[in-house]
Amino acid sequence: MWNRKNRFERGLDSMEGQAAVAVERLADTIGGRLGGEGGKQLAANLRQLASQVDELHLADEVQRRRRELERAAKKANRQVQRAMKELERTRNRLTSEAGAVAARVGEGAERTGQQLAALGQRSIPEAPTGWIAPTLLGFSLGFGLGFLLARLLRSRRERSQEG
């Protein structure tokens, strides 16, 4: 019951037996037709071939290899299933940890935003004219000073290259 062969293995077993029987018949036919020493020796060689074909047990070997492959496939499948479960556990753990980190970062960003808003409210005067004019004046002076320095440096470079 536990040693069942599939259709291919049964067919292989049957062909092996039929081949051995056919070679045995051929040996009998040759032994009967050729009565001399050569015929007897050829018939003996054919009978030996028939017994070797019969002893091959190819179907049993194929069945054994098939079972080994089935066991290896089951073992590999179990390992893959274990790895998939471990991957799922790791993914869940990372998801929960990432959520906790995101919550902490969000709380920190919210706190920092509130602090910046409080600082901004204190630093910006009520009337916009109090800070717009000095800012524009400072920007204009800085921009003009930058152009002046660039022109002076360029003229020095040109004089040093000429000389």
Side-chain angles (χ1 to χ4, degrees):
M1 179 174 171
W2 300 107
N3 201 14
R4 290 195 175 187
K5 295 179 181 174
N6 62 21
R7 186 173 57 171
F8 172 74
E9 293 162 349
R10 285 190 306 268
L12 189 60
D13 203 17
S14 173
M15 286 190 306
E16 187 179 326
Q18 290 172 358
V21 169
V23 171
E24 189 70 39
R25 279 190 209 143
L26 182 62
D28 290 340
T29 304
I30 289 178
R33 287 190 183 169
L34 303 174
E37 183 63 32
K40 288 180 184 178
Q41 190 168 357
L42 185 58
N45 287 342
L46 286 174
R47 282 189 182 91
Q48 184 180 3
L49 177 65
S51 68
Q52 288 175 349
V53 166
D54 197 32
E55 291 172 1
L56 282 178
H57 302 292
L58 289 176
D60 295 336
E61 186 66 23
V62 168
Q63 181 185 18
R64 187 178 63 79
R65 296 289 171 105
R66 178 180 52 91
R67 286 198 175 143
E68 288 173 0
L69 284 173
E70 286 173 352
R71 283 188 206 113
K74 284 180 184 177
K75 183 177 179 180
N77 189 33
R78 283 192 303 267
Q79 289 174 344
V80 166
Q81 292 299 325
R82 263 188 252 125
M84 291 295 289
K85 285 180 184 177
E86 183 63 30
L87 180 66
E88 185 65 26
R89 277 190 233 119
T90 303
R91 188 183 67 78
N92 289 338
R93 188 176 70 239
L94 286 175
T95 302
S96 66
E97 289 175 4
V101 167
R104 284 194 304 263
V105 167
E107 290 170 1
E110 184 179 344
R111 202 172 315 118
T112 304
Q114 289 172 351
Q115 290 171 350
L116 286 174
L119 283 175
Q121 285 178 348
R122 282 187 233 139
S123 64
I124 297 176
E126 293 295 322
T129 56
W131 61 272
I132 290 179
T135 302
L136 287 176
L137 181 64
F139 178 74
S140 300
L141 286 175
F143 202 68
L145 188 62
F147 270 111
L148 181 65
L149 284 174
R151 190 172 195 190
L152 289 174
L153 289 176
R154 188 180 313 134
S155 64
R156 278 190 187 167
R157 236 186 271 143
E158 287 174 359
R159 276 187 268 158
S160 65
Q161 288 177 357
E162 290 174 2

